[in-house]
Amino acid sequence: LAKRRGRQFALKVVSKRRAVQGGYARVVAAERDALARLGDLDDWIVGYHGAFDDRDFAYLLLEYVPGGDLYSFLYESSAGYDGRGAPFLLGCVVAGLD
């Protein structure tokens, strides 16, 4: 989390070594490309402000959105999720794709 002129930003840091070893390096690149094209088009998609990297890490500078992201929510709660919020989550996905 970083602040500049009253605005807050999130910095997503991805280990290049772990991304390659885990087989998701292409996913990180696809995420960057998709956010670069779509991030400012819709309120349902997190704002993208740029990307850079160094020898060990890739960085995505994003709009700060408190509460996390849908993937993390589903991954972290999959064992105990009772499904009551499923209509809302599905609506969010549909609105994001619309």
Side-chain angles (χ1 to χ4, degrees):
L1 177 65
K3 290 184 180 182
R4 182 174 185 199
R5 296 187 192 137
R7 293 179 61 196
Q8 294 183 337
F9 299 91
L11 185 63
K12 181 173 184 174
V13 181
V14 179
S15 165
K16 289 181 176 180
R17 182 175 51 92
R18 289 183 72 190
V20 170
Q21 288 174 345
Y24 59 90
R26 293 171 88 188
V27 172
V28 174
E31 177 182 12
R32 179 204 58 219
D33 294 344
L35 288 172
R37 283 188 296 239
L38 305 171
D40 294 328
L41 297 178
D42 195 303
D43 290 339
W44 290 93
I45 300 173
V46 67
Y48 172 82
H49 298 285
F52 54 99
D53 68 331
D54 60 25
R55 188 175 60 102
D56 299 316
F57 297 96
Y59 306 90
L60 297 177
L61 185 60
L62 307 170
E63 168 189 13
Y64 174 64
V65 180
D69 63 288
L70 180 60
Y71 175 81
S72 296
F73 170 77
L74 293 174
Y75 181 79
E76 292 168 4
S77 66
S78 61
Y81 183 63
D82 63 10
R84 287 184 288 178
F88 173 74
L89 295 174
L90 181 59
C92 290
V93 171
V94 170
L97 296 174
D98 186 22

